[in-house]
Amino acid sequence: MGSTKLILVLFCLLLIISSSSAARKKKIQARKPCKRVVFYFHDIIYNGKNTKNATSAIVSAPAWGNMTVNVFTPSHFGDVVVFDDPITLDNNLHSTPIGCAQGFYLYDKKETFTAWLGFSFVFNSTAHKSSLNFAGADPLMNKTRDISVIGGTGDFFMARGIATLRTDAFEGEVYFRLCVDIKLSKCW
Amino acid sequence: MGSTKLILVLFCLLLIISSSSAARKKKIQARKPCKRVVFYFHDIIYNGKNTKNATSAIVSAPAWGNMTVNVFTPSHFGDVVVFDDPITLDNNLHSTPIGCAQGFYLYDKKETFTAWLGFSFVFNSTAHKSSLNFAGADPLMNKTRDISVIGGTGDFFMARGIATLRTDAFEGEVYFRLCVDIKLSKCW
Amino acid sequence: MGSTKLILVLFCLLLIISSSSAARKKKIQARKPCKRVVFYFHDIIYNGKNTKNATSAIVSAPAWGNMTVNVFTPSHFGDVVVFDDPITLDNNLHSTPIGCAQGFYLYDKKETFTAWLGFSFVFNSTAHKSSLNFAGADPLMNKTRDISVIGGTGDFFMARGIATLRTDAFEGEVYFRLCVDIKLSKCW
């Protein structure tokens, strides 16, 4: 009889402990991504000659300047760039793209190169459409920079998290390759 | 005596089952919106003659091109459009607007029409101010496109979810009517 | 004996009550911020003469107009401004900045001054990098305006919430000082 009651008490205690430990576990795991993917994207800026290959173009520049000579040079302050860059799984520009990085960035510092990004990863798929949406500051001269995943659609419905950008390679001011390490903290 | 203990055991079991089933239920309902609203918004692009009626205007174009002739025509790559479009409950441009869709879109593909959107729905209200904020890729040629609800204020405090866009009508390159089916997955 | 069982029953009841009251409490506290910070940022618009002091510049204007004379004046409809504004803890432009507000705003109404904002607060820190990302409509003529916190990095990992903007001071069309009251509803 006494042992039965003891079991009941232990049982209830266990219940409390398990639920509170679950809460603790949840807190600890909060920063651990539930999904992690790495992509590369390739930005070829239009320079007036590469209309066919270019994947991006400057579309705005500060007033009183003009589109080719930036009054705030050399950091491109105020220039807005629209892009449609291929996304690949490795660092090879000629690999079959799995989608496009589409959106814009703007240079926003006079003293050095920093940018602000608003863009989407739109994935190729005949079955259904998936996308990830990003926004955030990109201090280009830092080795790695974190921006926010502000949403997603399809497979990435309601996604949230962080994307770590790293400039993987660049050639002059025409070609940039970015490595994007996406860590989603909210998956469905 | 034995039955009382049995009741206690059953009681505790019930407690566990109910809490775990609640968790399961939560998971299942995760994709079911807690609020769903459908709106229309009307975009009349400035063509140099309709200053009075226009609700939007091209404000940027790629460098080395100019504002009227796009070097990447016909898909408008790089053009940035700022808009302030009336929102209506039905598909009639002349219905009393319940608010404004304010923000921008930019055309971001050379081969076809696709856009990237960043905008807010700002609702009319004398009592208090409510808004919904959106961002995402809009591949215009698809029948429906999903973008993210990235936040909200007032009645839509902390809103998150998906908005499905559908081009309801268009007249040349001057008038566009979009149907927006908003499915909020997070409500307060 | 009977009292032991009674204790068990009460114990279980307590468990249920505490968990349900926790849920209720959670709901009530949902709108109560877990972190609240107030900052000021200072916007000095480039007017063609203040290259050294300017922290922002108009980079786009509607087509068929030009960068200096806005065809939709006086509300600046369609003008896009890129900024890199110092953030201070008090309302003094000359206080040591704790970071930068970087991004853009665009004027989006013909009849009055309203803007749409997309920007980040990037905080100075030698230890690690933190940022907060914002987006939303800013009806400038209202005393206070709410925009969304759409994400964060570093110390503000996964941040969400509301920022209330208030125009603290302005001098002509050159200097604006904004007070930003940030209320984060999701902290980690």
Side-chain angles (χ1 to χ4, degrees), chain B residues 70-81:
Chain B
N70 191 310
V71 289
F72 293 114
T73 43
S75 71
H76 284 277
F77 178 84
D79 284 359
V80 179
V81 177

Side-chain angles (χ1 to χ4, degrees), chain A residues 26-181:
Chain A
K26 201 182 165 190
K27 206 171 178 183
I28 290 164
Q29 292 189 331
R31 280 172 174 266
K32 204 180 148 187
C34 60
K35 196 166 197 171
R36 189 168 176 177
V37 277
V38 177
F39 299 117
Y40 291 81
F41 73 95
H42 308 263
D43 194 35
I44 304 168
I45 300 163
Y46 180 51
N47 64 0
K49 297 166 195 163
N50 58 351
T51 311
K52 210 186 154 195
N53 293 328
T55 64
S56 68
I58 299 173
V59 300
S60 300
W64 300 281
N66 68 54
M67 293 265 189
T68 43
V69 182
N70 191 312
V71 289
F72 292 114
T73 44
S75 72
H76 283 277
F77 179 84
D79 283 359
V80 179
V81 177
V82 170
F83 62 90
D84 172 34
D85 295 345
I87 304 170
T88 57
L89 288 171
D90 59 17
N91 63 3
N92 188 341
L93 169 63
H94 304 293
S95 296
T96 308
I98 58 154
C100 294
Q102 301 185 318
F104 74 104
Y105 56 86
L106 48 85
Y107 291 101
D108 55 12
K109 213 169 185 67
K110 289 193 288 182
E111 298 81 19
T112 184
F113 288 99
T114 67
W116 199 85
L117 298 164
F119 69 99
S120 300
F121 272 11
V122 182
F123 298 98
N124 295 337
S125 173
T126 47
H128 61 277
K129 299 140 222 151
S130 288
S131 68
L132 274 170
N133 301 319
F134 304 87
D138 179 13
L140 293 168
M141 306 310 279
N142 294 350
K143 203 181 166 188
T144 61
R145 299 88 68 178
D146 282 348
I147 58 170
S148 293
V149 176
I150 57 171
T153 66
D155 283 350
F156 295 105
F157 177 71
M158 294 287 283
R160 297 211 58 226
I162 291 285
T164 303
L165 306 180
R166 184 173 54 78
T167 306
D168 193 50
F170 65 94
E171 284 168 25
E173 292 200 354
V174 171
Y175 174 68
F176 290 90
R177 183 170 68 229
L178 283 180
C179 175
V180 189
D181 183 352

